[in-house]
Amino acid sequence: MTRNILIATIFSLATAILLGIIFVGESQRLPEATAAISAEQLERGARDYEQYCATCHGLAGQGEVKFGAPALNNIVQKYTLSQNGQPPAFDQPNGIKEKYGSMRNYIEATLFSGIRGTPMPAWGQPQGPLRRDQISNITSYVLSWNGQVPDAAKLTADRVATEQAPTPDPDANPVSQGQIVFTQKGCVGCHAMNDQKLVGPGLGGLFQPEGTAAFGTNLPNGKPVNEADVREWIQGGSAAFPENNNDLQGQDYSPMPGFALTDDEWSRLLVWLQAHNRDGTLTPEAEQIIQEAQGGEGTGESQPTAQPTGQPNQPGAPNSPAGPGSTATP
Amino acid sequence: MATRPARRPEGPAQRIKGALVEASRSIFPSMGAAEWRSVIRGEPAPRPNPRMRVHSNSFWYHIRPRALPLEATAWYYTFGLGWMSFFFFMLEAITGAILMVYYTPSPLQAYGDMQKIISDVPLGRLLRNMHRLGAHFMVAVVILHMMRTYFTASYKAPRQFIWVTGILLLIMTLVLSFSGYLLPWDQLAYWAVTIGSSMADAAPLIGSAANLLLRGGVDIGAGTLLRFYLLHVFALPALTILFISIHYYAVRKQELSPIHELFAPENPRGWGKPTKRKVPFLPDQVFFEIALIVLLTFAFVAINYFFWDAKLESHANPGVTPQHTKAPWYFLWLQGMLKFGDKLVFGLILGPLVLVLPILLPYIDRNLSRRFADRKVAITSGIIAMVFFGFVTYAGLPEYGIQQSGSQEILTEFVPIEGEGIVDHTPWSALPNTPVVYEVVAQNGTVDGGTITDLNGNVIDANTLSEETRHLFEEFRGAVQHWVEVDPRFLNPTAKLSIEPWTFVTNTEGQVVNAADGQPAVAIKRATVVLDFNSTEVDATTGEVRALSNQDGTPQISTSQQSDFLHRDSHEDRLEENASAPREASQ
């Protein structure tokens, strides 16, 4: 029994000493843990940036990949240093500083709500897919460039862009040509050609009798699906139809930006939109179109549905003609 | 009732002293100062033993006996498992109560609170680790306790009721642990609970209703978190305390099952005879248990600080299912059983059976003898049940019975989205600071030696790379070789593992800071695995794998790609980092 008392006493003291040592060590560990957590947030921000932002803004934040998306890697310098003798946008009256307080707040607010009248959608939940912590992580990552983009990242960005860019082929069958327009215009970033929701609703079955899974046979603005009204919808975007509430069958979607289409682009895109059933399979008519094209002459492109989706790090960033102005004013 | 001294006029000092003596005696009956002194000196108790004087108003003697038979304290008999279950329950209660201070059960805040507990609360990580590991230990110990009770036939008359409360406590322990799983609100929590609670669907009739009640909606969301939290910190602990009290009280009433009944009465070593020797609860047994509590606490603190760390995965995301999602280990058997058959059949037959059979066990097994020799059927079926549960637990693992995709496995093994892969375990500073691409090509089941190039395809001398990096590339090649052999759909792959510096440490002016070696200091390195392999299709009837090719005869290629970002602060060895210049310069 004396032994038990002795053991209890010794190990009580040992536990107290151990806890004391650990407690003293905490002043060292806590800052390290904080640094590790911010580092992890940067890593997650980098991952989310690649998934959601790199399609338009570029893997290295160099901008101009699609829709004239502005460069992001020098965003702090661009707004806080004076450009061409003009005072910096940050400090101007009614500028970022007065409205948002800091660059971080400005970027987070932009990510959260998007920019009206541009293809930049609202990313914050519930309109978009991102939680607040994801938006904060992406902002940390964008700010961490701090004007410096490593050549390696640029090189990778270019390499990925060229690898991913679909090669326009005048001899390709009409369905594949439509897919190229679909990819070049960036539709593929938000829409799947089946019943799956990405940022926007899946478009499988759009022109089929059953309609899409999200909004059936009527467009969100209530008009029926036909060639003229679909084109009007794409060109105007959802902002052109104020009655649209972005709420389709209980699902929230980001606003749809408007996209200018030439007659030629539209006619090619239409083939692609018409070619899919709701479940993502090709319609018999589309199969026939492909058959006929191949029957006439053996063309290479024959796998319009081989585009893998759901790969989180497939930036799918084709080079396309830069859109209007490459800077967005706050 | 204790006899009260006759009331006599007395001063306030005496009255306070009298009240104190009365109070202390109601906790430690009959132990006065002189008695404590002789206890600490290890002196034998005088006769008649004053330590044995029973005070019927003693709290302790309602739950523990005055003296235990010596054989009941033999460690090789009970292994102290029931006692240890209670130890872990108290440990969970204490650490949990402190953790509650820092936690808010809301999906908007829970994850941030976890990060704060790890990075902002002194001893927070230790507390969290102890609570997490303690929960696993508690489940394990309670299961072992049940198995011990079964094999020593301690559930038999007159102790049937103890067994029944024990089984209820086992169920409560499992649900307690499971309800705590969700609270960190990370990916592990979210998906383990998704799988666990969807298994409730398999239960007949009430399954989907129970699931809805548990989740508070169709999906796991804010309502689920609040429900699990309240179950975890209020409802289940209250219920468990109640049943532990009943369990303890029943054991107190019936005494521990005697060990000698397990052996033949004529056992030559004397085990067959009951022993008359007893160990007084106070002070011998009490001090033994206190010593054990202190020892275990010390060991547990040490284990959790030096050897174990509960990882916090990334924020729960319903949109992204991590590879290899599985239920908590103690529910893997359920996941395994559901793999074998129809959800309804297994839910209808096995689910209730697993619940009801153990509860009814003492009323089914009418054999009164506790001798091992008389229980051949019971012991055999016990061993069969153990083997069965071991097997279905193994079958519940994600690896079992599911055709694994080589490409996905390699991505998860090296650059996982959740948790740490082989690349994360390579020392960060040993990874190259300039872009390096390692490429291996497999043809007809054999992998070539691999080439090391930069981004432009210029060959890099392997000797310029660190040993760890070369080892990493070797491992990558080995993994490709392995999956080429195992997975017929991973056909003739070209596998690339590239490591590039991705962002740099900059100062406030946007200038890149140089590291000690004069090179720009890297902040994030990006590890990317790209797998190009021949697309295949599986014939639905024969199961034969056919390679797909394009119209012009070239093989059709599928691509899998995934990246992992490695930041110096979350990957580099702390000591090295403190010594390096760039961190200070970046402040």
Side-chain angles (χ1 to χ4, degrees):
Chain A
M1 181 158 48
T2 316
R3 194 189 60 188
N4 284 338
I5 295 174
L6 210 64
I7 290 175
T9 315
I10 290 173
F11 277 94
S12 297
L13 285 174
T15 312
I17 292 170
L18 178 63
L19 283 174
I21 292 172
I22 294 175
F23 190 81
V24 170
E26 291 291 88
S27 62
Q28 169 98 9
R29 185 189 70 79
L30 290 178
E32 283 174 5
T34 310
I37 283 180
S38 352
E40 270 168 37
Q41 286 170 345
L42 274 178
E43 291 168 5
R44 287 168 189 159
R47 203 183 273 283
D48 282 341
Y49 178 89
E50 277 208 14
Q51 187 177 353
Y52 296 106
C53 318
T55 318
C56 299
H57 291 281
L59 260 186
Q62 74 274 35
E64 301 273 355
V65 174
K66 216 184 278 177
F67 309 148
L72 297 178
N73 50 39
N74 59 350
I75 188 163
V76 177
Q77 281 75 8
K78 194 166 78 184
Y79 288 128
T80 56
L81 305 179
S82 57
Q83 308 276 328
N84 309 325
Q86 300 289 313
F90 188 74
D91 297 317
Q92 276 169 9
N94 209 19
I96 293 172
K97 191 176 182 182
E98 279 181 24
K99 274 175 156 173
Y100 298 96
S102 69
M103 278 307 291
R104 167 173 277 278
N105 288 354
Y106 168 62
I107 297 172
E108 284 187 1
T110 308
L111 271 167
F112 195 85
S113 318
I115 302 176
R116 221 161 235 281
T118 72
M120 176 76 180
W123 290 100
Q125 284 178 355
Q127 288 101 334
L130 299 180
R131 297 182 310 269
R132 271 179 187 280
D133 62 294
Q134 286 175 303
I135 287 180
S136 159
N137 293 349
I138 293 173
T139 308
S140 303
Y141 177 62
V142 166
L143 286 172
S144 82
W145 276 317
N146 209 0
Q148 294 297 333
V149 177
D151 292 341
K154 262 188 208 154
L155 204 57
T156 309
D158 297 344
R159 188 162 50 84
V160 170
T162 44
E163 276 172 7
Q164 299 279 328
T167 39
D169 179 2
D171 295 334
N173 68 62
V175 175
S176 295
Q177 292 192 15
Q179 186 189 11
I180 291 170
V181 177
F182 191 73
T183 311
Q184 279 179 341
K185 284 284 164 186
C187 318
V188 72
C190 300
H191 296 286
M193 288 311 292
N194 50 32
D195 52 1
Q196 296 295 310
K197 176 194 176 187
L198 298 178
V199 178
L203 296 179
L206 179 62
F207 281 94
Q208 304 311 314
E210 77 264 26
T212 62
F215 51 81
T217 52
N218 280 334
L219 289 169
N221 58 7
K223 296 186 179 174
V225 170
N226 58 46
E227 294 186 18
D229 285 325
V230 170
R231 186 174 179 182
E232 183 193 20
W233 172 264
I234 294 174
Q235 294 193 332
S238 56
F241 304 96
E243 67 273 25
N244 164 43
N245 60 1
N246 290 319
D247 182 9
L248 305 172
Q249 316 257 321
Q251 294 262 45
D252 284 321
Y253 292 96
S254 305
M256 160 98 175
F259 294 88
L261 291 169
T262 64
D263 285 348
D264 176 50
E265 281 169 342
W266 169 241
S267 61
R268 283 193 282 157
L269 180 61
L270 184 61
V271 180
W272 178 249
L273 292 178
Q274 286 172 330
H276 290 82
N277 294 315
R278 188 185 277 193
D279 60 3
T281 54
L282 288 179
T283 60
E285 293 82 9
E287 304 264 22
Q288 203 177 344
I289 293 173
I290 297 172
Q291 291 270 311
E292 279 168 13
Q294 283 160 356
E297 196 176 312
T299 52
E301 298 282 326
S302 68
Q303 22 157 331
T305 48
Q307 185 89 2
T309 52
Q311 291 285 344
N313 290 310
Q314 289 263 352
N319 279 322
S320 76
S326 60
T327 52
T329 45
Chain B
M1 287 295 290
T3 51
R4 282 169 185 277
R7 288 211 170 268
R8 213 177 291 172
E10 53 187 19
Q14 267 106 0
R15 279 162 74 176
I16 292 171
K17 191 184 165 199
L20 282 178
V21 167
E22 191 77 353
S24 69
R25 283 194 172 166
S26 68
I27 298 171
F28 293 109
S30 71
M31 294 287 282
E35 191 52 32
W36 276 107
R37 182 170 174 273
S38 78
V39 161
I40 290 169
R41 292 160 67 107
E43 289 167 0
R47 286 174 189 279
N49 189 347
R51 301 169 198 175
M52 290 292 191
R53 257 182 282 145
V54 174
H55 283 231
S56 57
N57 57 352
S58 160
F59 168 69
W60 294 109
Y61 286 166
H62 278 287
I63 49 173
R64 300 302 297 271
R66 274 181 298 141
L68 295 96
L70 187 64
E71 58 178 336
T73 63
W75 66 268
Y76 49 82
Y77 179 43
T78 64
F79 301 102
L81 287 166
W83 183 89
M84 248 190 281
S85 310
F86 187 63
F87 169 79
F88 279 115
F89 179 74
M90 290 312 291
L91 187 90
E92 292 298 286
I94 294 167
T95 52
I98 303 173
L99 286 171
M100 260 168 80
V101 173
Y102 301 101
Y103 179 81
T104 313
S106 142
L108 295 177
Q109 260 189 291
Y111 186 76
D113 286 346
M114 298 311 293
Q115 289 181 327
K116 253 185 220 151
I117 287 172
I118 292 172
S119 69
D120 224 13
V121 179
L123 300 183
R125 195 191 70 158
L126 178 72
L127 276 173
R128 173 174 136 76
N129 286 356
M130 283 175 72
H131 195 73
R132 182 76 161 255
L133 195 63
H136 288 308
F137 271 51
M138 183 174 163
V139 173
V141 164
V142 170
I143 291 172
L144 289 174
H145 182 44
M146 183 201 73
M147 280 159 59
R148 195 280 299 169
T149 310
Y150 179 83
F151 283 112
T152 60
S154 303
Y155 57 86
K156 295 196 171 176
R159 300 184 181 80
Q160 306 99 315
F161 184 63
I162 310 181
W163 170 267
V164 172
T165 54
I167 293 292
L168 293 177
L169 277 169
L170 169 66
I171 294 170
M172 282 173 210
T173 307
L174 293 180
V175 182
L176 252 179
S177 181
F178 180 66
S179 61
Y181 237 83
L182 185 66
L183 306 190
W185 204 247
D186 61 353
Q187 282 284 72
L188 174 74
Y190 187 89
W191 289 100
V193 170
T194 303
I195 290 195
S197 66
S198 68
M199 286 188 307
D201 270 338
L205 301 174
I206 54 157
S208 57
N211 203 358
L212 193 64
L213 194 68
L214 203 61
R215 290 186 177 188
V218 181
D219 296 317
I220 290 179
T224 322
L225 185 55
L226 189 58
R227 275 158 206 243
F228 272 57
Y229 176 75
L230 290 175
L231 276 178
H232 189 71
V233 306
F234 170 67
L236 286 167
L239 215 57
T240 309
I241 288 170
L242 179 70
F243 272 84
I244 285 178
S245 311
I246 297 172
H247 195 69
Y248 254 89
Y249 185 70
V251 174
R252 165 81 182 85
K253 278 282 162 201
Q254 307 292 354
E255 302 285 323
L256 283 179
S257 60
I259 192 170
H260 69 263
E261 289 179 13
L262 300 177
F263 302 95
E266 65 276 12
N267 187 298
R269 296 173 73 175
W271 284 357
K273 294 197 190 82
T275 160
K276 289 271 163 47
R277 291 187 58 197
K278 295 214 162 193
V279 180
F281 176 66
L282 197 77
D284 298 49
Q285 185 64 15
V286 163
F287 278 114
F288 172 68
E289 290 181 8
I290 288 176
L292 213 55
I293 290 172
V294 172
L295 259 173
L296 275 176
T297 310
F298 177 79
F300 210 62
V301 169
I303 288 171
N304 278 292
Y305 190 73
F306 296 110
F307 304 112
W308 195 75
D309 191 15
K311 281 278 166 212
L312 184 65
E313 297 195 342
S314 60
H315 193 291
N317 188 349
V320 177
T321 318
Q323 185 89 336
H324 297 167
T325 302
K326 55 174 187 260
W329 62 268
Y330 42 82
F331 282 143
L332 277 179
W333 58 272
L334 205 53
Q335 209 177 346
M337 286 207 304
L338 290 173
K339 268 187 200 171
F340 283 114
D342 182 55
K343 240 186 170 185
L344 192 71
V345 172
F346 273 75
L348 266 171
I349 300 167
L350 271 172
L353 212 62
V354 169
L355 268 183
V356 172
L357 207 60
I359 292 179
L360 293 182
L361 175 71
Y363 309 102
I364 296 170
D365 181 7
R366 310 292 295 179
N367 176 7
L368 274 177
S369 170
R370 292 185 60 227
R371 289 175 65 225
F372 287 132
D374 295 339
R375 297 182 62 233
K376 295 196 174 89
V377 177
I379 289 177
T380 316
S381 42
I383 291 171
I384 289 173
M386 267 172 67
V387 172
F388 173 75
F389 270 92
F391 172 68
V392 285
T393 296
Y394 168 69
L397 290 173
E399 291 89 53
Y400 181 86
I402 289 170
Q403 179 59 48
Q404 289 176 291
S405 146
S407 54
Q408 288 308 308
E409 291 300 324
I410 290 177
L411 295 184
T412 309
E413 200 179 333
F414 282 84
V415 286
I417 292 180
E418 254 348 296
E420 293 181 342
I422 294 176
V423 175
D424 299 80
H425 290 301
T426 310
W428 189 88
S429 43
L431 292 173
N433 282 321
T434 51
V436 172
V437 182
Y438 179 69
E439 180 175 328
V440 289
V441 180
Q443 277 297 335
N444 307 322
T446 47
V447 178
D448 69 359
T451 50
I452 303 175
T453 58
D454 64 10
L455 288 177
N456 297 318
N458 305 319
V459 175
I460 293 177
D461 182 6
N463 293 322
T464 59
L465 302 173
S466 68
E467 196 183 322
E468 289 91 342
T469 308
R470 274 179 281 153
H471 181 70
L472 170 69
F473 289 165
E474 256 329 291
E475 262 185 276
F476 183 67
R477 184 172 170 271
V480 174
Q481 176 75 59
H482 170 76
W483 285 106
V484 164
E485 287 162 11
V486 171
D487 181 8
R489 303 202 65 183
F490 190 47
L491 189 60
N492 296 341
T494 300
K496 267 188 272 187
L497 170 61
S498 56
I499 293 163
E500 306 153 76
W502 201 245
T503 64
F504 292 90
V505 180
T506 55
N507 59 19
T508 45
E509 280 87 44
Q511 255 100 46
V512 174
V513 175
N514 280 348
D517 59 358
Q519 298 297 311
V522 180
I524 295 181
K525 291 176 184 174
R526 177 187 192 247
T528 312
V529 172
V530 185
L531 305 168
D532 295 317
F533 51 97
N534 202 338
S535 310
T536 52
E537 64 178 6
V538 180
D539 193 300
T541 48
T542 62
E544 198 183 328
V545 176
R546 270 199 309 271
L548 295 174
S549 51
N550 293 324
Q551 233 74 32
D552 57 3
T554 54
Q556 191 174 319
I557 299 295
S558 300
T559 301
S560 295
Q561 178 185 345
Q562 196 163 295
S563 300
D564 197 2
F565 294 89
L566 316 162
H567 194 287
R568 62 186 303 126
D569 283 352
S570 62
H571 286 85
E572 201 175 9
D573 184 19
R574 301 278 155 228
L575 291 171
E576 282 177 49
E577 184 196 299
N578 287 342
S580 70
R583 241 187 94 67
E584 286 158 31
S586 69
Q587 299 301 312

